[in-house]
Amino acid sequence: MYHKSYSIDEIAEIVNTKNFIKISDAAITTLAFDSRRLGDIIHTLFFAVKGRRDGHDFVREAYSSGIRNFVVSDERNFAETCPDANFIVVPDTVRALQTLAVYHRSQFNIPVIGITGSNGKTIVKEWLYQLLAPEKNIVRSPKSYNSQIGVPVSVWGMGEEHELALFEAGISRKGEMEALEGIIKPAIGVLTNIGQAHEDGFSSDQEKTVEKLKLFNDSELFIYSPKYLAEYSGSIPGKKTFTWDWNNESADLNIIEDVISADKSHRLVKGAFSGEIIQCLVPFTDAASVENAVCCWATMLALGYSPAVIDSRIGKLHPVGMRLELKTGIHNSSIIDDSYSLDISSLTIALDFLKQQNQHQRRTLILSDIPGAGMNAGALYSQVARLLENKDVNRLIGIGTEISRHADRFTVDSVFFESTSDFLDNLDSVSIADESVLLKGARRFEFEKISKALTEKVHETVLAINLNALENNLNHYKSLLKPGVKITTMVKAFSYGSGSFEIANLLQFNRVDYLAVAFADEGIALRQAGITLPVMVMNPDVAGFDTMIEHDLEPEIYSLRVLNEFVAKLKRKGREEYPIHVKLDTGMHRLGFLEEDVPALLDELTGLTAIRVRSIFSHLTSSEDPAADEFTRQQIGLFKELTSLIESRLGYSVIKHIANTSAISRWPEAQFDMVRLGIGLYGIDSAREAGVSPLETVASLKTSISQIKHLKAGETVGYNRRGVMQRDGKTATVKIGYADGYDRKLGNGAGKMIVNGKVVPTIGNICMDMCMLDITGVDAKEGDEVIVFNDQVTVESIAKEMGTIPYEILTGISQRVKRIYYYE
Ligand SMILES: *Cc1c(COP(=O)(O)O)cnc(C)c1O
């Protein structure tokens, strides 16, 4: 076994419980919390955690997947429903997990660096990893695992082969750090920074600082910047300290100069250290990155590295690539590019994402040697082999001498190459087509070359979709629902412009109850991409009934004409009990049965066996508008009345739903049995403008500069000379125009974009494929990225400028703009 294994008896003893239903022996190496994300099943211990959802509800499912070892706080009737499984019963499963982590931590005597701060924790951790990896075999927190559960999981990753650990801790409330300190026990402490108390949910800056510093209670060495402790009056932790700051002579590392290089790609930072002037060339220019790099610089100095070594390593820092990207690949393939780092935990996460992809039958993993295994390589590749079986991988392409040596451990169809160039030279022989392909390679294998060879070249204007943000938004709305209320997610109009199966895969994985599309074609595309969730078609077309039925798509029935035609079709096909959704018109006056149509509808439905009414629904006209609340109340009242009438006549109960996004937040009494979530999923709701929304931005539209021009005052820009330079200055021509969905109303300064962090206006009329920006005074070069909208220049602000609503902006982005999907 690769990870140190604990017997199930040992674990029961460590978490100190007598309440232990033991059926059989088990050797545990892997911890799990989510029944959808399971790895090495036979060696997994499943913790039922009570969070937003109760993990106990998923014990049965984990059991069906083969899990036989559980930690629970509630026994229910698991002894009967999950026979032949071990159950460790504890009062609090998170506490038990933490206790186990404390024990595991105590088995190791290596230096541990603990990192906390308001921002930059993950970047500093990842950069320290890049900087220190040349000498040390390092274990570190996966991604940004820094919570009450994330920290124990990170510490659980410690193994005999490791020489140094890097763990981050994040807190959001008073009282949380103590537990994390007990688990991490850092000998060396790094504080990145401390932001405003309210950003993190503390009542005062002092309270927040005190809480954060608790991580370093027992540290030998504490590395920090005094500027973040200026207001703090308590004692500074650490037997020794090392400080860094800008223009502060008492700091151990005092930054005295910090200038952008001539080609604008680096920042040259000079500092006074131990009586000498030393320097570093930081390969980033934004202030946050420079500060994070200086924090790493100070840490390395404090650890005794020479300034010359540090300078050469910092010069090679690369952006923290925690995000995997889903792109369109060659020969109708989907490429998941995660070629930044490789270890077993990030491999597991990436394989989960691969498993979510239903658009192709076949899944291929291209995997390099996994660094740092050393003596344990055999056990490690056996673990990987089991993982591939559990994650439904059909084919492995292994690259590297070490993985090739362990070829016989893999049971899936596999082929091996000595090196990346060896693979690329033989690309034709492996044939990549009609499949989902995950690229997972250690840095030195330069998998970016493979990514380039396998993906379609993208036009430089891209809509980047953040799938984590979408998941976060979904969870936010789920948290507003009363128990048992189901959720339909609206994926009509190409999921409000953001994608088709890419979005549906994620929603299916997150177990929404229904998907809704506008037209049958959209539903058919989802079925062809392997989506199995029930799909409602809001605007079914009589001509498309055959294919709808073939693809198990469920129509909205809004009139007797549609009902009769659909029933006639079903009868011809001999179908019974086909699910339909009856639409009532309670005031929208678009589609649906009016109150006076209901008696005739009921006469028609009575005794009909071809269909079964799965749901009855209606649509609110103004759920977001307080001025129309009286009307909304009437709509809800009428809906209640009509549905109870229909249900009593049908003699069976149906799902009732009326609430769209704004109604979910504003009208809890309108949740009924299900809600229909649309725009909120994509990060927009009426509350967001007030800056109080927990929603995250899902879509960012980006393009780039084709040309920069220096123009004199009075010269004009673009068609009809509408843009006039008011002073000597410069313009940037960028690759987006009205054919991409950037509306002509945004010309002549109405539209704003972001160039290298600066918000700049359009100048002149918007052209079909391009437009011009006034970038006077902004540092920029041709090829630089330009942000059209994101969380700073928002879709809402653009909509307002144009006199429309965000829906129109999102759905108006043309299909020629490539979509790229990120998942962290
Ligand atoms: C589009 C649509 C929704 C979703 O509305 P949002 O405001 O985007 O949440 C709900 N119901 C119906 C019938 C719709 O057409």
Side-chain angles (χ1 to χ4, degrees):
M1 234 138 298
Y2 181 53
H3 189 277
K4 174 179 162 41
S5 105
Y6 288 88
S7 74
I8 192 76
D9 303 271
E10 263 178 289
I11 290 179
E13 196 175 311
I14 294 165
V15 304
N16 195 20
T17 181
K18 295 264 175 304
N19 195 349
F20 173 30
I21 307 166
K22 185 182 165 180
I23 304 293
S24 59
D25 285 329
I28 301 300
T29 61
T30 305
L31 310 181
F33 310 89
D34 184 336
S35 53
R36 299 163 306 175
R37 302 175 197 270
L38 300 171
D40 186 357
I41 292 195
I42 48 169
H43 301 302
T44 293
L45 178 61
F46 185 93
F47 281 77
V49 171
K50 290 185 179 170
R52 202 178 39 73
R53 310 210 38 186
D54 185 348
H56 293 80
D57 295 342
F58 299 98
V59 163
R60 251 306 300 180
E61 185 180 319
Y63 179 85
S64 325
S65 307
I67 300 286
R68 289 294 177 271
N69 298 286
F70 296 89
V71 178
V72 296
S73 58
D74 185 348
E75 286 177 66
R76 299 197 183 170
N77 55 347
F78 293 140
E80 291 110 65
T81 55
C82 308
D84 69 282
N86 296 321
F87 280 90
I88 295 175
V89 188
V90 295
D92 178 336
T93 51
V94 173
R95 275 273 164 275
L97 169 69
Q98 295 180 342
T99 307
L100 182 60
V102 167
Y103 181 87
H104 187 68
R105 168 74 182 85
S106 72
Q107 307 299 299
F108 300 94
N109 205 359
I110 57 172
V112 172
I113 302 184
I115 304 165
T116 195
S118 297
N119 296 299
K121 295 182 282 296
T122 304
I123 292 175
V124 166
K125 179 205 69 197
E126 290 295 318
W127 280 357
L128 284 174
Y129 174 78
Q130 291 176 25
L131 294 165
L132 301 172
E135 288 85 28
K136 304 272 192 211
N137 195 342
I138 301 173
V139 54
R140 68 193 198 279
S141 321
K143 308 203 292 175
S144 49
Y145 280 24
N146 59 31
S147 66
Q148 297 289 310
I149 291 174
V151 168
V153 168
S154 304
V155 166
W156 180 258
M158 294 177 88
E160 274 166 31
E161 68 279 18
H162 296 126
E163 300 160 317
L164 175 72
L166 293 169
F167 297 130
E168 53 174 290
I171 49 171
S172 51
R173 258 182 287 134
K174 203 173 157 209
E176 287 187 336
M177 192 58 98
E178 205 171 313
L180 302 187
E181 191 273 336
I183 301 166
I184 298 177
K185 284 277 166 223
I188 301 158
V190 175
L191 177 71
T192 58
N193 57 34
I194 293 190
Q196 297 291 302
H198 65 84
E199 291 165 8
D200 285 355
F202 287 89
S203 65
S204 73
D205 288 343
Q206 174 76 8
E207 177 187 277
K208 172 167 160 175
T209 306
V210 167
E211 187 68 25
K212 288 206 191 283
L213 292 185
K214 281 189 183 154
L215 178 61
F216 312 118
N217 267 348
D218 270 338
S219 296
E220 296 288 324
L221 171 63
F222 174 45
I223 299 145
Y224 70 101
S225 176
K227 68 177 169 175
Y228 294 117
L229 298 184
E231 309 288 311
Y232 166 73
S233 56
S235 65
I236 305 277
K239 296 195 179 69
K240 279 190 293 181
T241 59
F242 189 100
T243 57
W244 53 273
D245 205 348
W246 264 255
N247 303 316
N248 174 351
E249 286 183 6
S250 61
D252 295 303
L253 172 63
N254 177 24
I255 306 302
I256 51 176
E257 198 182 303
D258 155 15
V259 291
I260 293 194
S261 65
D263 70 354
K264 306 197 171 73
S265 63
H266 286 64
R267 208 93 66 134
L268 180 66
V269 187
K270 284 189 182 158
F273 165 68
S274 185
E276 276 180 68
I277 300 297
I278 59 173
Q279 66 172 44
C280 241
L281 200 54
V282 178
F284 298 89
T285 56
D286 65 289
S289 298
V290 172
E291 182 164 315
N292 288 330
V294 167
C295 177
C296 293
W297 190 10
T299 305
M300 289 188 81
L301 287 169
L303 293 176
Y305 280 81
S306 83
V309 166
I310 303 174
D311 181 25
S312 86
R313 290 191 190 167
I314 285 190
K316 295 190 204 104
L317 282 181
H318 45 83
V320 173
M322 297 173 304
R323 307 205 293 186
L324 43 88
E325 274 182 32
L326 173 62
K327 304 181 205 171
T328 310
I330 55 169
H331 310 314
N332 185 38
S333 62
S334 300
I335 306 297
I336 302 163
D337 186 352
D338 186 6
S339 53
Y340 289 99
S341 68
L342 174 58
D343 52 44
I344 196 91
S345 62
S346 71
L347 175 63
T348 310
I349 293 163
L351 286 170
D352 277 326
F353 191 74
L354 177 66
K355 193 175 173 179
Q356 277 178 42
Q357 305 306 313
N358 300 299
Q359 63 273 29
H360 308 290
Q361 301 247 306
R362 196 155 78 139
R363 299 186 181 88
T364 292
L365 166 66
I366 306 184
L367 178 69
S368 77
D369 288 350
I370 301 177
M375 301 285 291
N376 291 315
L380 172 66
Y381 290 105
S382 294
Q383 189 182 348
V384 173
R386 285 194 298 275
L387 205 52
L388 301 197
E389 291 161 26
N390 289 331
K391 302 291 181 187
D392 302 341
V393 172
N394 306 98
R395 174 165 73 145
L396 168 69
I397 299 174
I399 297 181
T401 50
E402 193 180 74
I403 193 169
S404 301
R405 207 160 43 241
H406 294 283
D408 57 354
R409 293 177 193 270
F410 294 97
T411 50
V412 298
D413 180 15
S414 54
V415 48
F416 295 86
F417 297 90
E418 292 278 298
S419 66
T420 300
S421 55
D422 186 17
F423 167 72
L424 288 172
D425 291 344
N426 292 289
L427 194 52
D428 290 342
S429 73
V430 292
S431 114
I432 304 275
D434 302 310
E435 63 196 309
S436 299
V437 182
L438 169 63
L439 304 183
K440 197 77 183 118
R443 194 130 191 107
R444 75 182 165 87
F445 285 88
E446 301 182 282
F447 269 26
E448 54 276 15
K449 290 181 181 159
I450 301 179
S451 167
K452 218 168 163 185
L454 297 186
T455 49
E456 281 184 349
K457 206 181 137 25
V458 295
H459 173 68
E460 281 174 81
T461 300
V462 296
L463 187 70
I465 303 294
N466 181 341
L467 294 175
N468 290 88
L470 197 123
E471 211 167 43
N472 166 75
N473 297 341
L474 175 65
N475 287 337
H476 166 68
Y477 286 101
K478 279 185 179 169
S479 76
L480 300 179
L481 299 184
K482 297 173 198 164
V485 174
K486 293 182 189 318
I487 193 160
T488 293
T489 47
M490 308 303 293
V491 294
K492 61 188 178 188
F494 203 55
S495 300
Y496 290 51
S498 65
S500 162
F501 63 80
E502 299 90 344
I503 305 296
N505 275 334
L506 189 82
L507 295 169
Q508 179 161 304
F509 181 75
N510 277 282
R511 299 198 176 97
V512 303
D513 299 283
Y514 256 96
L515 297 176
V517 295
F519 299 105
D521 286 354
E522 297 174 318
I524 292 167
L526 294 177
R527 286 285 181 257
Q528 284 167 345
I531 300 297
T532 53
L533 279 175
V535 175
M536 206 184 296
V537 179
M538 314 302 271
N539 210 337
D541 182 12
V542 175
F545 280 167
D546 274 322
T547 44
M548 272 189 57
I549 295 168
E550 241 166 71
H551 289 93
D552 276 328
L553 304 171
E554 305 172 11
E556 162 181 328
I557 299 294
Y558 55 84
S559 70
L560 285 181
R561 173 185 65 83
V562 178
L563 177 65
N564 291 332
E565 305 221 29
F566 193 64
V567 166
K569 185 63 81 183
L570 290 170
K571 283 189 172 154
R572 240 168 292 145
K573 289 180 178 289
R575 298 288 298 252
E576 295 278 302
E577 305 253 305
Y578 197 95
I580 63 162
H581 304 270
V582 172
K583 175 75 164 287
L584 300 177
D585 183 350
T586 55
M588 180 81 172
H589 298 155
R590 190 169 65 178
L591 296 178
F593 294 92
L594 289 162
E595 185 175 8
E596 65 255 33
D597 303 331
V598 168
L601 168 67
L602 284 171
D603 289 343
E604 204 67 41
L605 287 176
T606 315
L608 252 189
T609 55
I611 53 95
R612 183 169 176 100
V613 179
R614 177 65 61 80
S615 85
I616 307 177
F617 72 111
S618 187
H619 197 38
L620 298 170
T621 68
S622 327
S623 60
E624 76 289 354
D625 180 7
D629 281 355
E630 193 39 48
F631 187 74
T632 303
R633 206 166 285 120
Q634 280 171 24
Q635 279 197 282
I636 298 169
L638 179 58
F639 181 67
K640 214 180 256 174
E641 221 174 277
L642 295 179
T643 49
S644 71
L645 175 71
I646 300 174
E647 259 185 338
S648 69
R649 276 284 294 274
L650 284 175
Y652 54 85
S653 68
V654 299
I655 302 170
K656 299 169 284 298
H657 50 114
I658 193 168
N660 65 338
T661 297
S662 308
I664 298 173
S665 19
R666 295 194 66 239
W667 294 92
E669 69 267 42
Q671 290 182 5
F672 293 93
D673 307 307
M674 182 153 84
V675 296
R676 298 188 305 272
L677 176 62
I679 194 109
L681 186 59
Y682 309 99
I684 290 168
D685 78 354
S686 37
R688 196 166 90 138
E689 229 161 318
V692 292
S693 166
L695 297 183
E696 291 177 15
T697 301
V698 170
S700 309
L701 183 57
K702 298 172 186 175
T703 183
S704 65
I705 300 180
S706 304
Q707 194 172 30
I708 290 180
K709 288 195 191 318
H710 296 267
L711 301 175
K712 293 259 177 309
E715 288 193 273
T716 65
V717 179
Y719 284 119
N720 308 107
R721 309 190 64 200
R722 284 290 305 283
V724 183
M725 294 299 284
Q726 298 301 322
R727 57 203 157 149
D728 292 0
K730 61 179 176 180
T731 61
T733 303
V734 299
K735 296 186 181 70
I736 187 168
Y738 57 77
D740 298 295
Y742 199 71
D743 200 284
R744 265 185 101 251
K745 290 195 197 80
L746 295 166
N748 300 300
K752 309 276 188 294
M753 297 189 195
I754 302 175
V755 176
N756 294 331
K758 298 257 162 37
V759 177
V760 296
T762 56
I763 179 168
N765 286 329
I766 307 294
C767 311
M768 187 187 290
D769 312 304
M770 285 174 264
C771 66
M772 280 67 86
L773 302 173
D774 183 345
I775 58 162
T776 307
V778 177
D779 259 332
K781 57 183 188 312
E782 291 175 0
D784 278 0
E785 179 179 89
V786 176
I787 291 166
V788 182
F789 60 69
N790 64 356
D791 50 358
Q792 264 178 290
V793 170
T794 60
V795 169
E796 289 97 318
S797 67
I798 294 175
K800 205 175 218 173
E801 193 60 57
M802 285 171 50
T804 181
I805 51 176
Y807 299 71
E808 188 179 349
I809 310 288
L810 287 177
T811 55
I813 298 162
S814 91
Q815 284 301 315
R816 83 172 182 193
V817 173
K818 279 277 185 307
R819 272 68 172 168
I820 286 189
Y821 300 85
Y822 293 98
Y823 193 75
E824 292 176 356

